C-alpha cells in the first residue's frame, strides 16, 4: 500500500523552535477537549455500575465472560463530542463479551435481533431505575446519563481465531438489520493500536515533550486503563487532534446525513502510518507528524470498479472479514475524506507559518478555523500565564537517536509571551 517513493521522509524547512511550539499547542488543544478529573471519575463510576449490573442480571448472568471498554477511552484518544444538545458530555463504549454458549439461545437469522432486544430489555430496567434515556440501535444500546455522558453498550459472542493477531479475543457482533453476526475484535484493535503506540520514534535532534512516550470462570469487569498513561502518548495525541479537526470540519450531522470519516477509520489510518514512519529517522516530532498525515491516504487499498467508482479496503487483521473502510464506500464519503485531508494539511501549514512569525492573532484565527473556539481559547490562555504555587513541577526527560538527553519543566512555555 505504501509506495516506494515515500520510504524517505520529505524534508521540510522546520526549525526546532517551530516543533517545540507546535507540540505545546497540540498538547494544550488536546487537553482542553479531554474530560476533567471529575468527568473521568464519573465515566469510570458509570462504567463500573453498568458493568456490574449486566454481569448480575438474570438474562446474561451465566453467559457473560467480561465487560470491558473499547474505543477512545481504552486507547487514550477520547475528546469532547460535537453535539449541541450535550456540549459537555463524553462518550464511552462498553463491550459485553458472551460465552460461545450464547449461540444456543441467539443462533439463527433471528438470533442477532433477539440478542439486541434482550440487551435493551435488561438495560431498560436499569435506565428506568436511574432516570436515564435509552436508545436501541442495530448493533448496540445507548444509555444517556444525566450529566450528558453516553455509553454505547455492544454485545459480542466469543469466537477465538488463534491464527490471527490477538485472535484469542476474536468474536462475532450481532447486526439486527442484517440478521447475522459480523466478525469483530474490539480488544484486538485496542491491542494493535497500543502496540503501534509503543514504537519508539527515531529523531535526529534532541527534544523534550510534556507527554509519556511509553506507558498493560467468573465474569470479569476489566478496569479502565490509567488515563494519564494512555492519554499522553504521542500517537494518542495525534489521533485526538485528527478527530477534533474532523469534528470541526464536518460539524454536527444534518438531517441524518453524515459524510465524516468514522473514528475507527481515522484511528486505524493514523496507527498504520505511525507504525510505518516512526522507525524512520525524522528531525523531530513535528517532522514525524507531518509525514504521518501525508502517509495516511496510502494506508488503505483502492480498487477501481467497472463503473469508475472506487472500493476502499482496510482489512482488520484481528478480525478477518471486517473492513475498517467499509463506511467509506460511497462517492460522497470518499470525496469528503479527500477534501478533509486537503483541509487538514492546509491548516497544519498555516499553523507553522503563524508560529514562525506571524504573531498571536493570526495563530488564534487559524486555530479557531481548524479546531474550534474552545481550542483557540486554550491557546489564548497559554499567553496569559497565571501565578502558580511553589510546588514541585513534573520534569520530563526524553532521549533520542542522537544519544542526547534533555530535561525541562513541563508546561512552562508560551507561544508569543515574554
Amino acid at each position: 500500500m505504501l509506495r516506494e517513493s515515500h520510504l524517505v521522509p520529505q524534508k521540510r524547512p522546520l526549525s526546532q523552535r517551530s516543533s517545540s511550539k507546535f507540540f505545546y499547542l497540540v498538547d494544550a488543544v488536546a487537553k482542553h477537549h479531554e474530560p476533567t478529573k471529575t468527568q473521568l471519575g464519573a465515566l469510570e463510576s458509570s462504567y463500573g455500575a453498568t458493568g456490574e449490573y449486566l454481569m448480575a442480571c438474570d438474562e446474561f448472568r451465566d453467559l457473560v465472560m467480561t465487560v470491558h471498554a473499547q474505543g477512545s477511552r481504552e486507547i487514550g484518544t477520547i475528546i469532547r463530542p460535537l453535539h449541541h444538545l450535550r456540549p459537555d458530555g463524553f462518550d464511552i463504549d462498553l463491550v459485553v463479551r458472551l460465552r460461545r454458549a450464547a449461540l444456543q439461545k441467539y443462533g439463527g437469522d433471528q438470533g442477532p435481533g433477539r440478542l439486541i432486544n434482550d440487551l435493551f430489555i435488561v438495560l431498560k430496567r436499569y435506565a428506568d431505575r436511574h432516570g436515564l434515556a435509552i436508545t436501541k440501535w442495530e448493533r448496540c444500546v445507548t444509555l444517556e446519563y444525566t450529566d450528558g455522558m453516553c455509553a454505547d453498550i455492544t454485545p459480542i459472542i466469543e469466537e477465538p481465531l488463534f491464527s490471527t493477531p490477538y485472535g484469542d479475543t476474536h468474536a462475532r457482533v450481532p447486526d439486527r438489520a442484517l440478521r447475522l453476526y459480523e466478525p469483530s475484535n474490539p480488544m484486538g484493535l485496542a491491542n494493535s493500536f497500543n502496540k503501534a503506540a509503543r514504537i519508539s520514534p527515531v529523531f535526529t535532534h534532541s527534544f523534550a515533550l510534556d507527554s509519556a512516550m511509553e506507558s498493560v470462570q467468573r465474569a470479569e469487569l476489566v478496569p479502565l486503563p490509567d488515563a494519564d498513561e494512555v492519554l499522553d502518548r504521542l500517537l494518542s495525541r495525534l489521533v485526538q487532534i485528527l478527530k477534533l479537526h474532523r469534528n470541526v470540519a464536518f460539524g454536527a450531522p444534518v438531517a441524518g446525513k453524515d459524510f465524516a470519516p468514522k473514528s475507527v477509520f481515522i484511528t486505524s489510518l493514523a496507527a498504520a502510518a505511525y507504525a510505518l514512519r516512526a522507525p524512520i529517522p525524522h528531525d523531530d516530532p513535528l517532522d514525524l507528524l507531518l509525514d504521518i498525515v501525508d502517509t495516511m491516504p496510502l494506508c488503505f487499498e483502492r480498487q477501481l470498479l467497472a463503473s469508475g467508482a472506487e472500493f476502499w479496503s482496510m482489512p482488520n487483521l484481528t478480525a478477518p472479514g471486517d473492513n475498517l473502510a467499509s463506511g467509506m464506500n460511497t462517492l460522497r464519503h470518499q470525496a469528503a475524506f479527500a477534501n478533509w485531508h486537503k483541509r487538514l494539511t492546509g491548516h497544519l501549514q498555516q499553523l507553522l507559518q503563524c508560529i514562525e512569525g506571524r504573531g498571536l492573532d493570526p495563530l488564534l484565527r487559524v486555530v479557531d478555523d481548524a479546531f474550534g473556539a474552545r481550542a483557540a481559547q486554550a491557546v489564548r490562555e497559554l499567553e496569559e500565564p497565571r501565578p502558580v504555587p511553589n510546588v514541585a513541577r513534573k520534569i520530563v526527560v526524553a532521549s533520542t537517536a542522537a544519544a542526547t538527553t534533555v530535561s525541562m519543566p513541563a508546561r512552562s512555555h508560551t507561544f508569543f509571551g515574554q
Side-chain angles (χ1 to χ4, degrees), residues 19 22-24 26-27 30 75-77 193 196-203 207-215 228-242 270-271 274 278 282 284-290 292:
S19 184
F22 185 89
F23 270 90
Y24 273 102
V26 167
D27 190 58
I75 61 176
T77 62
F193 183 93
R198 286 193 294 269
I199 296 174
S200 296
V202 178
F203 299 120
F207 72 97
L209 292 176
D210 183 16
S211 63
M213 304 294 292
E214 304 282 347
S215 57
D228 290 336
E229 289 186 3
V230 294
L231 286 169
D232 284 343
R233 296 180 299 187
L234 183 59
L235 178 55
S236 297
R237 276 283 183 260
L238 168 61
V239 173
Q240 286 178 310
I241 290 299
L242 295 177
Y274 180 88
H282 291 78
D284 49 45
L286 177 55
D287 189 27
L288 173 59
L289 167 63
L290 298 176
I292 288 171

Side-chain angles (χ1 to χ4, degrees), residues 261-309:
K262 302 300 183 186
S263 292
V264 66
F265 184 57
I266 291 177
T267 301
S268 300
L269 284 181
Y274 180 88
L276 286 168
R277 310 308 287 163
I280 299 173
H282 291 78
D283 288 345
D284 49 45
L286 177 55
D287 189 27
L288 173 59
L289 167 63
L290 298 176
D291 190 17
I292 288 171
V293 172
D294 287 346
T295 303
M296 283 171 54
L298 306 174
C299 290
F300 60 93
E301 299 173 356
R302 305 168 190 246
Q303 179 184 357
L304 184 63
L305 304 178
S307 63

